[in-house]
Amino acid sequence: MTDQVDAYLEKDYAAGFTTDVESETLPPGLNEDVIRFISQKKGEPEWLLDWRLKAFNVWKEMSDPNWAQVNYPEINFQDVSYYSAPKSMEDKPKSLDEVDPELLETYEKLGIPLHEQAALAGVAVDAVFDSVSVATTFREKLAEAGVIFMPISEAVHEHPELVKKYLGSVVPQKDNFYSALNCAVFSDGSFVYIPKGVRCPMELSTYFRINEAKTGQFERTLIVADEGSHVSYLEGCTAPMRDENQLHAAVVELVALDNAEIKYSTVQNWYPGDKDGNGGIYNFVTKRGVCHTNAKISWTQVETGSAVTWKYPSCVLKGDNSVGEFYSVALTNNFQQADTGTKMIHLGKNTKSTIISKGISAGKSDQSYRGLVRMNPGAEGARNFTQCDSLLIGDKCGAHTFPYVESKNPSAVIEHEATTSKVSDDQMFLCQQRGIDPEKAISMIVNGFCREVFKELPMEFAVEAGKLLEVSLEGSVG
Amino acid sequence: MLSIKDLQAKVEDKDILKGLNIEVKPGEIHAIMGPNGSGKSTTGYVLSGREGYEVTGGSITLDGKDLLELEAEERAREGLFLAFQYPVEIPGVSNLEFLKASVDAVREHNGLEPYSTVDFMKLAREKCKSVNLDQAFLKRGVNEGFSGGEKKRNEILQMMLLEPKVCILDETDSGLDIDALQVVAEGVNALRSEERSFIVVTHYQRLLDYIVPDYVHVLADGKIVKSGGKELALELEEKGYGWIEEEVA
């Protein structure tokens, strides 16, 4: 079967095209002037510039973390361009009609039509292209419900009190090397605020696209769900196929106030590099949410892209009875590497967390689950359940599990289950003997393995995720 | 129908089949019996084209078509079915999904449209009843947590849905109690027809009380060393395999 597996994993990366637009791109390099430039471009208030500069100074004192189970050449941060925006966005188009058709077409091709009449019913989209937000759909409709959904660069002007209050409140500037870098140079991203007691009437989503070469994307997402509110948010990501590696270092902060619920889903399909391991995105992301009393945050991620992924969406369960969930499918193929997992920090009483992680390794890829469950002294009666399963396809890939468990409260209960399995010759032969071809068989077996996670995704995206796995697996059987 | 001529095959450089000849006509049931290590299971795998089983000589044709030229899944679509001795589990893939993928693959091969989900549900439920399986079984993962008897009944269910031309039963009786054995045998007997043939591979005569063969072949050291009617199976039961091996030697 090894031969079959080897040959099946090759597939074109459908989102690999480039958009030919004239862009204003900063020359590579990082210094205070670059940060001032970005801040000035966005017309930011003084406090935000100061905040950025402070982060930059923190960052300069830090070094690239090396504890993850990934290998990549040292990144020269002076070789990266920190700002790139299509020139046509200079005049801040007021409506979709004023947006460069090339840009709209890009999203069209990616299956994300931005014209509201053509858009997926019930889903509002913020489309971020390199360093700027191109368009945000259904803003008016959402505003009727009191929901704020806009690029963070605009929110800084329109809702400064909210941004100032919550920005950096969950992921502090000095949290880690990449979050500090993001604080210094973040260019755009989405801002969401759901007022008290409101159930957001639509799915919200942000679609991130890196287009320009040699450019990094540093987006910042901030979602605040006020007391008793509810929101479901989805992000998607793609980039053109390029031979050099590109850096993506995002920060996502979620705030779920008392009795609020945030469901955050990610379908990450950054360019993974070619089958020989050239190019691809370095995806170094910090995602964290804080849950107040009775609040719930649920992270669901499907990670199929990127050359190197370093990502641990986490929950700080601050309030009593709050709930954190992490459902993850990570698939690596060819030379992809992923070190991903979560952190559940239990502070409040009777807090609960669930971690379901499904890792699939194929080709020559290497993958690690890294998760921390911490029960603080105040976490009376807290519970965690972790299930961590790895599936190997072929015999040249690797899977590793690094669970960290710290309990400082004797009443807390922590359960951990882990399995590693292979797509076996017997399974493949059973499928073939029943007339099913090997590609379909692999995809069926892998989808079955991921079922528990897929059922957590919003319906439209569950189907999408299944297809994405199929595409990403192509060439793993030969 | 199924014609096996001078078939030779090896597994990991070891010669297992050394010139196997069997001619199966439509509607016939052939039993292949033999001591452990005689090549019984290998025969099933070689016929169905499992990877790692290398054919080094001879031919297999089904209705004149050269099976050796076809991949395992293509042979299955041509109507060759292997019921496994130890059916494997596929966690998370529902039986229904698996059965539909399988049946649709065969239908597509025969130029038919795939079933609609609703129609297939109906069909699958109906067949479930006939092998005494609860409908809830369709929602469970393929063979996941099934008892030995359920696994074998699942094989018969698949056979019923795929309606193959030739069914090979690989030691289907192993691990079954007498009740489960009867259910399986009833399923097979219900599928008997003038067009459909069976090759029943077994170590013990017991199964042949329920599935009565037209011919019995004794396999030893990769060859058929003796053939006869159903009474040969009884003789084997009584005397063991030793006398044949002596007779041949």
Side-chain angles (χ1 to χ4, degrees):
Chain A
M1 187 192 78
T2 314
D3 293 342
Q4 294 179 335
V5 168
D6 280 349
Y8 171 50
L9 272 176
E10 264 159 61
K11 172 75 180 189
D12 288 344
Y13 177 73
F17 62 91
T18 47
T19 306
D20 196 10
V21 285
E22 218 182 321
S23 283
E24 179 184 26
T25 304
L26 265 187
L30 181 57
N31 52 47
E32 283 202 12
D33 291 341
V34 167
I35 294 166
R36 284 178 198 283
F37 172 88
I38 295 170
S39 186
Q40 191 204 344
K41 265 280 165 206
K42 308 275 179 192
E44 285 175 355
E46 194 64 26
W47 69 265
L48 192 50
L49 175 62
D50 290 345
W51 191 79
R52 286 176 180 276
L53 292 172
K54 198 177 134 208
F56 182 55
N57 284 322
V58 169
W59 179 75
K60 280 193 292 192
E61 301 300 316
M62 300 175 96
S63 52
D64 203 347
N66 58 9
W67 42 263
Q69 178 91 355
V70 291
N71 281 303
Y72 52 91
E74 204 177 323
I75 298 171
N76 184 345
F77 291 90
Q78 299 302 334
D79 277 353
V80 177
S81 165
Y82 290 83
Y83 186 86
S84 177
K87 277 207 170 133
S88 61
M89 295 305 292
E90 188 85 341
D91 317 323
K92 298 207 166 38
K94 281 178 196 58
S95 75
L96 223 46
D97 302 335
E98 293 174 25
V99 173
D100 183 349
E102 279 283 341
L103 292 174
L104 296 179
E105 200 187 310
T106 300
Y107 287 92
E108 196 89 29
K109 268 199 211 165
L110 294 167
I112 328 276
L114 296 176
H115 285 285
E116 292 185 3
Q117 58 273 32
L120 206 50
V123 183
V125 180
D126 183 17
V128 177
F129 190 90
D130 289 331
S131 304
V132 290
S133 169
V134 175
T136 311
T137 62
F138 295 109
R139 274 166 76 161
E140 290 75 20
K141 190 173 171 204
L142 289 166
E144 284 169 25
V147 172
I148 303 168
F149 180 41
M150 59 173 61
I152 199 160
S153 56
E154 285 180 38
V156 167
H157 298 288
E158 294 186 29
H159 305 281
E161 69 302 336
L162 285 172
V163 176
K164 202 169 175 180
K165 182 169 176 188
Y166 291 108
L167 188 72
S169 71
V170 188
V171 179
Q173 292 175 322
K174 58 174 186 288
D175 187 79
N176 68 70
F177 183 78
Y178 288 103
S179 72
L181 177 64
N182 176 285
C183 292
V185 301
F186 80 90
S187 45
D188 222 331
S190 300
F191 174 76
V192 175
Y193 173 78
I194 316 291
K196 274 184 194 169
V198 169
R199 197 178 172 91
C200 186
M202 310 178 83
E203 295 272 345
L204 304 183
S205 74
T206 302
Y207 198 91
F208 295 101
R209 175 75 177 169
I210 297 177
N211 186 59
E212 194 64 27
K214 292 193 186 299
T215 304
Q217 192 176 57
F218 305 91
E219 88 268 4
R220 185 111 198 163
T221 301
L222 175 58
I223 299 178
V224 180
D226 213 327
E227 293 172 17
S229 67
H230 179 285
V231 62
S232 172
Y233 177 93
L234 183 120
E235 63 170 4
C237 333
T238 57
M241 292 192 267
R242 295 190 188 281
D243 290 340
E244 82 269 18
N245 295 104
Q246 284 181 280
L247 180 62
H248 172 256
V251 171
V252 175
E253 295 179 286
L254 309 184
V255 179
L257 296 175
D258 293 357
N259 303 305
E261 184 175 342
I262 302 175
K263 188 174 169 62
Y264 192 105
S265 315
T266 303
V267 175
Q268 185 265 105
N269 186 26
W270 292 119
Y271 177 52
D274 68 14
K275 65 177 176 19
D276 301 317
N278 300 312
I281 302 289
Y282 291 155
N283 189 35
F284 302 146
V285 173
T286 306
K287 291 179 166 175
R288 193 174 306 153
V290 60
C291 287
H292 292 259
T293 305
N294 292 323
K296 177 176 171 183
I297 289 179
S298 181
W299 298 100
T300 305
Q301 59 171 19
V302 177
E303 304 274 319
T304 61
S306 298
V308 181
T309 295
W310 178 98
K311 178 182 166 188
Y312 315 90
S314 306
C315 296
V316 179
L317 303 172
K318 190 173 168 190
D320 293 349
N321 307 314
S322 59
V323 177
E325 294 175 339
F326 175 73
Y327 299 100
S328 170
V329 165
L331 184 147
T332 50
N333 193 359
N334 297 322
F335 286 89
Q336 283 179 276
Q337 307 174 65
D339 191 304
T340 184
T342 184
K343 288 191 274 189
M344 293 290 174
I345 311 295
H346 292 251
L347 304 179
K349 293 191 185 79
N350 299 317
T351 44
K352 263 202 284 189
S353 63
T354 304
I355 299 170
I356 309 279
S357 163
K358 303 279 182 177
I360 303 133
S361 321
K364 298 189 171 86
S365 68
D366 216 349
Q367 190 177 128
S368 304
Y369 166 81
R370 190 182 300 278
L372 168 68
V373 176
R374 178 184 291 154
M375 303 295 187
N376 273 40
E380 275 296 309
R383 289 193 72 112
N384 160 264
F385 174 75
T386 300
Q387 187 186 327
C388 184
D389 299 323
S390 310
L391 183 70
L392 303 173
I393 303 177
D395 55 6
K396 296 184 189 74
C397 52
H400 316 268
T401 306
F402 302 97
Y404 304 79
V405 174
E406 297 170 14
S407 182
K408 297 194 176 111
N409 187 310
S411 69
V413 179
I414 300 171
E415 288 176 78
H416 183 98
E417 289 178 9
T419 65
T420 301
S421 52
K422 278 190 77 165
V423 173
S424 71
D425 291 359
D426 286 345
Q427 288 172 330
M428 289 298 288
F429 182 58
L430 169 62
C431 293
Q432 282 176 274
Q433 214 305 304
R434 297 301 180 255
I436 301 166
D437 65 51
E439 295 208 0
K440 167 90 183 159
I442 285 260
S443 124
M444 211 162 65
I445 294 167
V446 169
N447 271 290
F449 175 74
C450 301
R451 172 154 303 182
E452 277 169 284
V453 173
F454 284 172
K455 72 178 201 295
E456 298 296 328
L457 283 172
M459 256 280 264
E460 304 86 325
F461 301 111
V463 177
E464 210 50 40
K467 279 191 210 147
L468 189 59
L469 277 197
E470 200 161 324
V471 167
S472 305
L473 273 170
E474 205 155 292
S476 69
V477 173
Chain B
M1 182 170 222
L2 182 70
S3 177
I4 305 166
K5 289 199 177 111
D6 192 29
L7 186 63
Q8 298 153 49
K10 63 179 182 184
V11 183
E12 288 169 358
D13 288 333
K14 190 166 184 256
D15 293 317
I16 309 281
L17 298 184
K18 301 172 180 172
L20 189 71
N21 291 289
I22 300 177
E23 192 70 41
V24 181
K25 297 206 177 66
E28 289 178 352
I29 297 192
H30 290 243
I32 298 180
M33 300 183 71
N36 289 328
S38 57
K40 294 196 302 291
S41 285
T42 300
T43 306
Y45 289 147
V46 169
L47 292 178
S48 52
R50 180 163 192 167
E51 204 164 308
Y53 291 76
E54 195 192 336
V55 173
T56 49
S59 68
I60 313 169
T61 57
L62 177 60
D63 287 338
K65 196 168 262 182
D66 182 3
L67 289 190
L68 292 177
E69 298 228 314
L70 302 179
E71 298 290 340
E73 65 272 19
E74 293 166 327
R75 297 187 199 187
R77 292 172 200 158
E78 286 292 333
L80 189 80
F81 184 96
L82 176 67
F84 290 88
Q85 183 176 4
Y86 303 110
V88 67
E89 299 188 3
I90 309 182
V93 177
S94 79
N95 235 334
L96 188 73
E97 180 188 355
F98 176 78
L99 293 171
K100 187 169 186 302
S102 168
V103 170
D104 283 346
V106 175
R107 284 176 69 86
E108 191 188 339
H109 178 75
N110 294 327
L112 296 167
E113 291 285 309
Y115 273 112
S116 74
T117 308
V118 178
D119 287 349
F120 188 75
M121 274 289 272
K122 263 190 219 155
L123 181 71
R125 281 186 181 152
E126 202 178 287
K127 301 285 182 194
C128 263
K129 253 185 229 161
S130 58
V131 284
N132 224 349
L133 281 168
D134 193 84
Q135 289 181 13
F137 161 91
L138 291 171
K139 287 191 186 148
R140 289 164 63 185
V142 176
N143 294 323
E144 204 180 349
F146 287 16
S147 70
E150 283 176 324
K151 285 184 184 177
K152 297 291 164 71
R153 277 183 275 163
N154 194 19
E155 297 286 289
I156 303 300
L157 175 67
Q158 290 167 24
M159 201 186 283
M160 285 182 165
L161 285 164
L162 291 173
E163 301 179 335
K165 291 180 190 162
V166 179
C167 305
I168 305 161
L169 309 181
D170 184 14
E171 308 216 25
T172 294
D173 46 338
S174 67
L176 288 191
D177 61 28
I178 212 80
D179 293 338
L181 192 67
Q182 279 178 348
V183 173
V184 167
E186 274 167 29
V188 169
N189 288 326
L191 280 168
R192 288 188 74 160
S193 78
E194 283 178 16
E195 296 87 47
R196 186 169 296 131
S197 317
F198 291 84
I199 297 176
V200 182
V201 177
T202 180
H203 186 81
Y204 300 105
Q205 195 272 338
R206 188 177 71 155
L207 179 65
L208 304 180
D209 286 341
Y210 300 97
I211 304 170
V212 181
D214 300 300
Y215 301 96
V216 173
H217 308 281
V218 181
L219 186 68
D221 194 26
K223 270 187 225 165
I224 302 293
V225 291
K226 196 171 179 70
S227 297
K230 63 187 172 202
E231 63 291 343
L232 178 58
L234 294 166
E235 208 176 340
L236 286 168
E237 177 83 349
E238 203 180 310
K239 300 193 200 162
Y241 290 103
W243 64 277
I244 290 185
E245 279 164 347
E246 276 166 34
E247 195 175 272
V248 174

